[in-house]
Amino acid sequence: NRLRRLVTGVAMFSMALAAIFAATLGAQSFDADMGRRLFDDGRGRDGRNVIGRVASGTVPMQGGAVACANCHGKTGNGGGEGWIDAPDIRWFALTKPYGARRPGGEARPPYDRASFAKALRTGHAPDGVALDPSMPRFDLADDEIDALTAHLSRLSEDAHREGERPALVVLM
């Protein structure tokens, strides 16, 4: 009787844990899909065109005109359009502990979720330095930022699977 209760309890706990795990995976998949739409097409949670303000936040643009892929490339590894030189925004590039180099040569601190949200909304890097005026400032909800972060992480994973590795320099 006691053993039966123990086995039943363990089975119920295992099923609850499996349900939570499945729900978490489903949410992450949805987030990455919404993030892909934001990145590729400039469309938000409900299919609306997101609004981004360029020229340091003064000129509104929307939808595909402010899609991340336009400037940062389909894979997020950087690129540009016209005179714009857009950096790599895959999650491993944004969060690497040694940061990236700005055009003047100084290092930018790594991003985390909060500083990434601040950069998207206000146009400031983690250390408070203003981003390029051509970088749109977005009015994205928290779940949209989480979705975009999930997609940038997926782009990082794709690059890793395809054999791309961040550069490592060893000084002797």
Side-chain angles (χ1 to χ4, degrees):
N1 193 19
R2 191 172 157 165
L3 181 60
R4 181 179 290 170
R5 282 194 315 241
L6 177 64
V7 168
T8 302
V10 168
M12 290 176 65
F13 177 75
S14 298
M15 288 189 313
L17 203 57
I20 290 169
F21 182 70
T24 301
L25 283 179
Q28 288 174 345
S29 175
F30 171 78
D31 285 349
D33 290 341
M34 181 179 16
R36 182 192 48 74
R37 286 191 312 274
L38 283 160
F39 186 89
D40 288 341
D41 306 323
R43 288 184 295 122
R45 173 190 331 99
D46 51 3
R48 69 179 168 76
N49 284 332
V50 298
I51 295 174
R53 295 172 316 281
V54 296
S56 297
T58 61
V59 178
M61 297 174 72
Q62 66 178 342
V66 292
C68 310
N70 288 344
C71 296
H72 296 280
K74 263 320 222 187
T75 62
N77 65 335
E81 184 176 315
W83 70 95
I84 299 168
D85 185 21
D88 187 338
I89 58 167
R90 292 171 293 182
W91 197 242
F92 72 73
L94 291 174
T95 60
K96 59 187 175 184
Y98 47 88
R101 295 278 170 203
R102 292 190 173 107
E106 69 274 10
R108 172 204 36 83
Y111 283 89
D112 58 17
R113 193 261 180 224
S115 60
F116 181 64
K118 181 180 178 183
L120 291 175
R121 291 175 175 148
T122 70
H124 290 91
D127 56 359
V129 173
L131 300 177
D132 190 277
S134 62
M135 172 64 191
R137 280 63 168 156
F138 296 97
D139 293 323
L140 296 175
D142 286 342
D143 66 325
E144 291 173 315
I145 289 175
D146 290 339
L148 187 55
T149 302
H151 181 66
L152 296 177
S153 294
R154 181 183 283 172
L155 292 176
S156 294
E157 293 163 9
D158 291 348
H160 181 77
R161 246 189 321 281
E162 293 169 10
E164 185 178 335
R165 303 284 191 277
L168 176 65
V169 176
V170 178
L171 302 175
M172 300 186 137

